[in-house]
Amino acid sequence: MKRISLTQYLVEEQRQHNTIPAELRLLIEVVARACKTISHAVGKGALGEVMGSAETENVQGEVQKKLDIISNDILLEANEWGGHLAAMASEEMETIHLIPNRYPKGEYLLLFDPLDGSSNIDVNVSIGTIFSVLKAPEGMGVPTEQDFLQPGSQQVAAGYAVYGPQTVLVLTTGNGVNCFTLDREMGSWVLTQRNMQIPTETKEFAINASNARHWFPPVTRYVNELLAGDSGPRSSNFNMRWIASMVADVHRILSRGGVFIYPADTRDTKMPGKLRLMYEANPMAFLVEQAGGAATNGAQRILDIQPEKLHQRVPVFLGSKSEVERVTAYHQE
Ligand code: AHM
Ligand code: MG
């Protein structure tokens, strides 16, 4: 097999499609390098003294794990000095992070969830990093939160890394989805899957069913129909998977199809669902659409939502097109 590195892929992509100018290439390579460092820290586990709680809370009121903070710091440090960014934002930081004055500024904005699947950190289950890249608005002065509040359709790149049995990086720059595997001996990202495609039909779904009693009727109806299997209205059996790391669930869906749901429910109307729009739902929606799938909030395409707040939450229905369309249609009835 001819090995194509991430760098070679990015250079050739720019030559053929003109979608990855040098500054964006640098950005993607720096993020990929940071993910390598995070992968190394995750892989050390107890030997690296990185396990357990940091005993601090993030802006969402969630207790931070040591690895949440370590991963956030790795991404910040890696991306500060290159001159490719105007500012960053993260799940783990209340406000945006400006590039220090001693470094040149660039024209991109980077958002990330540094370590997604925090509840799985201490139990050796796959976790990951999610990132989204926007262009700074024309004529922007000192960046503000407002400059980040662009719909997901404006993303110029998005991706995630999964730290699992293998470490993989899945990337889109708006021209399909490609997967790179980390060669741990060489320390390099190698292209291992071109043009990932999500099958339109699926027999697998992912939802945290422990919340069933709080669901709204369209979600209850949809899941009950799946659970009824070949004796129900779908006349077919469906299988359930829930990893509790969105990166790992989405990676399974990009690999073999499926539908992933994290709905809003009746508990707290000010908190529609758990997942965050700007650095979880948007990048995943971009990837899923680029792979031929669909992503909605039950009412509209996720990528069309005009964000109002940096840490805004959103209901998520994504994956195989026919299932996402069906559950979205149930919300309209
Ligand atoms: P996190 O970013 O704090 O890790 O939270 C997001 C995660 C997702 O990866 C996952 O799909 C979801 O939370 C799991 O939630 P639950 O524990 O309710 O199953
Ligand atoms: Mg997350």
Side-chain angles (χ1 to χ4, degrees):
M1 179 177 92
K2 183 179 177 320
R3 286 168 64 108
I4 297 177
S5 68
L6 176 64
T7 304
Q8 185 176 352
Y9 165 80
L10 294 170
V11 168
E12 290 179 350
E13 189 68 12
Q14 166 63 5
R15 261 183 221 144
Q16 284 168 28
H17 303 287
N18 209 25
T19 49
I20 314 180
E23 210 171 87
L24 182 58
R25 187 178 88 221
L26 174 66
L27 188 165
I28 293 169
E29 291 198 280
V30 168
V31 170
R33 204 174 309 139
C35 289
K36 233 187 284 183
T37 310
I38 297 171
S39 175
H40 186 75
V42 167
K44 286 257 173 201
L47 303 177
E49 295 179 16
V50 295
M51 308 295 271
S53 164
E55 275 154 26
T56 48
E57 270 188 12
N58 66 13
V59 55
Q60 357 255 346
E62 299 159 343
V63 176
Q64 292 172 303
K65 299 284 171 100
K66 282 185 197 158
L67 267 171
D68 285 321
I69 295 176
I70 292 169
S71 306
N72 194 59
D73 290 347
I74 289 171
L75 279 157
L76 289 179
E77 273 181 45
N79 280 287
E80 274 186 339
W81 51 269
H84 52 288
L85 287 182
M88 293 181 255
S90 160
E91 175 176 328
E92 303 304 337
M93 299 183 298
E94 183 166 1
T95 52
I96 65 166
H97 180 91
L98 297 177
I99 301 301
N101 278 331
R102 60 184 180 280
Y103 299 123
K105 320 276 177 294
E107 57 175 336
Y108 293 102
L109 303 171
L110 174 66
L111 297 107
F112 45 81
D113 176 357
L115 208 59
D116 180 59
S118 301
S119 73
N120 283 324
I121 289 177
D122 292 332
V123 292
N124 200 13
V125 172
S126 294
I127 47 184
T129 298
I130 310 172
F131 67 94
S132 161
V133 184
L134 294 164
K135 269 219 152 146
E138 289 283 323
M140 181 185 72
V142 177
T144 64
E145 181 173 322
Q146 192 61 36
D147 297 313
F148 283 80
L149 304 183
Q150 307 177 30
S153 56
Q154 297 296 312
Q155 292 171 103
V156 294
Y160 62 79
V162 183
Y163 314 116
Q166 302 109 41
T167 288
V168 295
L169 179 76
V170 174
L171 175 71
T172 186
T173 53
N175 180 35
V177 179
N178 293 286
C179 180
F180 302 82
T181 302
L182 180 62
D183 179 333
R184 295 183 212 255
E185 281 79 48
M186 304 293 283
S188 57
W189 294 105
V190 181
L191 179 62
T192 44
Q193 204 182 343
R194 268 193 199 273
N195 197 19
M196 296 176 94
Q197 286 290 324
I198 301 176
T200 308
E201 310 286 334
T202 181
K203 294 274 175 281
E204 269 181 355
F205 68 104
I207 190 166
N208 183 344
S210 70
N211 297 323
R213 68 191 184 286
H214 306 296
W215 291 342
F216 289 114
V219 175
T220 306
R221 173 187 169 194
Y222 176 73
V223 175
N224 282 346
E225 289 180 3
L226 300 181
L227 294 174
D230 58 11
S231 54
R234 302 294 303 270
S235 311
S236 189
N237 294 325
F238 290 82
N239 195 10
M240 191 174 82
R241 287 285 181 272
W242 184 253
I243 303 174
S245 291
M246 189 195 202
V247 278
D249 279 311
V250 169
H251 191 66
R252 183 188 60 254
I253 289 171
L254 277 161
S255 303
R256 67 177 190 208
V259 57
F260 171 95
I261 301 178
Y262 212 116
D265 62 35
T266 55
R267 277 173 292 183
D268 184 353
T269 46
K270 286 195 292 302
M271 207 173 100
K274 177 180 184 188
L275 300 175
R276 275 86 6 154
L277 174 62
M278 303 236 26
Y279 40 79
E280 292 178 321
N282 270 343
M284 291 311 202
F286 189 18
L287 288 159
V288 164
E289 284 198 4
Q290 283 291 316
T296 77
N297 65 355
Q300 67 179 132
R301 193 175 164 232
I302 284 177
L303 296 180
D304 285 338
I305 298 172
Q306 172 60 51
E308 283 161 13
K309 286 194 308 229
L310 190 57
H311 298 291
Q312 167 174 349
R313 296 180 194 251
V314 67
V316 174
F317 302 82
L318 64 74
S320 291
K321 210 171 202 166
S322 64
E323 293 304 314
V324 174
E325 283 173 356
R326 176 185 284 267
V327 64
T328 304
Y330 286 6
H331 284 77
Q332 263 91 71
E333 280 173 26

